[in-house]
Amino acid sequence: MVHKSSHHFDLVNWWLADEPREVFGYGRLGFYGREAGERHGLRREYDRAHGADRAADDPFALDLAANDTLRALYLDAERDDGYLRDRNVFDGPITIEDDMSVLVRYARGATMTYHLTAYSPWEGYRVMFNGSAGRLELEVEESRWQPPLTRVTSAAGALHGDTAAEHAGGARLTLRPLWQPPVEVPLAVAHEAHGGGDPRMLDALFGPADLTRPAHTGAATHPTATERDGALALAVGLAANRSFETGRPVRTGELLPGIR
């Protein structure tokens, strides 16, 4: 919930201009891991994909040696950091939750329901705001479907967000006012550079790298985030993990004493 979801929680905190106060969640391992893999008929007997014959045609296996970037970033670095990037996702040591539901209460009264599916066949998100004047819905398809990992050809793009995914979809913003027909709001879509955020962030921090072009403008280019904002984004995931363990609601102030 911290590694995968903190950027989502940071966005919601920013959109609401509010701070999370209490979190309750439920998480389970339902798709990956040895037990689920055997139950679904997906498990194959190997520890890691590199050098394993049984991983050769496994669509869940990641072939580090076949990709220059992956080889340099992970395979060649194993002797230094000991991190194995290509473990069998249906093996016994896989214990992290892959299906998670979270309920968050905010300081000014808003509540958020959040669900993360870590084995979804598509990549993206849907977010809905219900308010006093209607409802706002945003759907972003970062990847409409995912080819088998054995066919990864560009780690710089498909895995790290530098370029758009090969099967990137669109984005749709719909306003549903009370007592009126819904309105499709025009929306510029940029899948590369982490949704267009990278150049704006770099402009805000360092100014435009290319001095012949004007700097990006807009609210996203103003560096207003503080260490408190970062801590609050982390706090939701940390509190959710503790709630998974204890079965009770967790106040963010228990984890961050400076927050009420």
Side-chain angles (χ1 to χ4, degrees):
M1 293 305 294
V2 175
H3 178 244
K4 295 298 293 184
S5 300
S6 289
H7 57 298
H8 291 155
F9 301 144
D10 188 38
L11 277 171
V12 174
N13 295 349
W14 181 53
W15 282 329
L16 295 179
D18 205 352
E19 297 186 350
R21 287 292 181 262
E22 192 171 33
V23 180
F24 177 77
Y26 174 75
R28 71 184 185 108
L29 179 63
F31 184 80
Y32 297 112
R34 176 183 290 271
E35 181 180 341
E38 292 176 347
R39 184 170 65 250
H40 298 142
L42 297 172
R43 173 170 164 72
R44 304 188 186 192
E45 287 291 342
Y46 65 89
D47 293 327
R48 62 172 304 186
H50 184 61
D53 292 339
R54 294 189 177 184
D57 61 347
D58 184 356
F60 291 93
L62 182 61
D63 189 351
L64 299 177
N67 182 281
D68 291 340
T69 302
L70 293 180
R71 185 191 308 111
L73 187 61
Y74 297 113
L75 192 60
D76 294 346
E78 289 177 2
R79 61 180 178 272
D80 299 312
D81 59 19
Y83 176 52
L84 304 182
R85 179 67 173 80
D86 61 344
R87 288 186 183 274
N88 185 349
V89 295
F90 297 108
D91 206 4
I94 305 300
T95 59
I96 190 172
E97 300 89 358
D98 56 28
D99 192 271
M100 294 145 277
S101 298
V102 176
L103 178 64
V104 183
R105 179 178 62 82
Y106 280 82
R108 292 189 293 160
T111 58
M112 174 180 68
T113 57
Y114 176 87
H115 193 97
L116 173 64
T117 303
Y119 51 91
S120 177
W122 73 293
E123 182 179 359
Y125 59 90
R126 298 184 180 101
V127 58
M128 293 83 174
F129 298 90
N130 294 301
S132 58
R135 176 181 171 98
L136 187 65
E137 303 172 351
L138 173 64
E139 177 177 278
V140 177
E141 285 186 309
E142 294 169 354
S143 177
R144 294 182 295 113
W145 66 283
Q146 174 64 53
L149 292 179
T150 50
R151 301 176 188 171
V152 170
T153 57
S154 174
L159 295 186
H160 297 134
D162 291 346
T163 60
E166 181 181 0
H167 304 286
R172 180 179 180 182
L173 183 63
T174 305
L175 175 64
R176 300 183 183 274
L178 287 175
W179 322 121
Q180 299 178 46
V183 178
E184 295 294 330
V185 181
L187 190 64
V189 180
H191 287 291
E192 66 280 355
H194 294 96
D198 287 353
R200 289 166 173 80
M201 179 184 68
L202 293 174
D203 276 5
L205 294 174
F206 307 113
D210 181 1
L211 297 179
T212 63
R213 70 163 176 82
H216 287 279
T217 60
T221 64
H222 300 297
T224 57
T226 67
E227 66 277 7
R228 182 181 179 90
D229 297 305
L232 288 167
L234 293 172
V236 179
L238 292 170
N241 284 337
R242 182 170 294 183
S243 182
F244 295 168
E245 297 170 358
T246 64
R248 66 173 181 83
V250 177
R251 294 185 63 84
T252 53
E254 298 176 29
L255 306 173
L256 302 175
I259 296 177
R260 296 191 301 274

